[in-house]
Amino acid sequence: REQRVVATIAMSASLSDVIDKRGYNQIGIEMPSAWTTAGITFAGCSSVGGTFTPVYAEDGIELSISASTSRIITLGINNSALASVPFIKIRSGSVGTPVSQSIARSLNVLLAR
């Protein structure tokens, strides 16, 4: 079963609200038509109210993807660093160089099993 949730990055912020991806093994991010130029990284946590920390792949590099406007970015997470992380946030930029969005951005997050 598929589900669509909206993750919002507030104006002048770089981190979205929480996405509950428990039970889903694929993610698509539908990028808005306007986006302050930045790649995407992730923060993750084992509980919805816990402390979110950067997500790194097994090679020790922060998990990042290129992002641009008006496209869907797919992540098959069966073999990625996000596979075992039940709660995530989407970050504009990286943990070391976050990029604040100039206005609030809503990203449609497509979850599939």
Side-chain angles (χ1 to χ4, degrees):
R1 183 182 123 188
E2 294 84 26
Q3 179 179 0
R4 180 182 70 87
V5 297
V6 177
T8 301
I9 299 176
M11 181 174 72
S12 300
S14 61
L15 202 58
S16 76
D17 46 3
V18 178
I19 301 160
D20 179 352
K21 65 171 223 25
R22 291 176 294 174
Y24 294 96
N25 59 7
Q26 297 179 17
I27 292 178
I29 301 171
E30 186 175 7
M31 296 297 295
S33 60
W35 176 254
T36 303
T37 303
I40 288 177
T41 59
F42 302 89
C45 190
S46 61
S47 64
V48 71
T51 301
F52 282 76
T53 57
V55 176
Y56 288 81
E58 63 187 34
D59 60 5
I61 297 172
E62 186 176 16
L63 179 65
S64 66
I65 55 175
S66 296
S68 189
T69 60
S70 304
R71 64 185 63 198
I72 295 176
I73 301 166
T74 61
L75 295 155
I77 63 172
N78 285 329
N79 297 312
S80 84
L82 292 178
S84 61
V85 184
F87 300 97
I88 62 171
K89 294 182 179 185
I90 297 171
R91 179 183 296 103
S92 170
S94 66
V95 68
T97 310
V99 176
S100 296
Q101 291 296 307
S102 58
I103 63 169
R105 306 290 189 203
S106 295
L107 296 90
N108 290 320
V109 179
L110 315 167
L111 302 170
R113 297 189 199 284

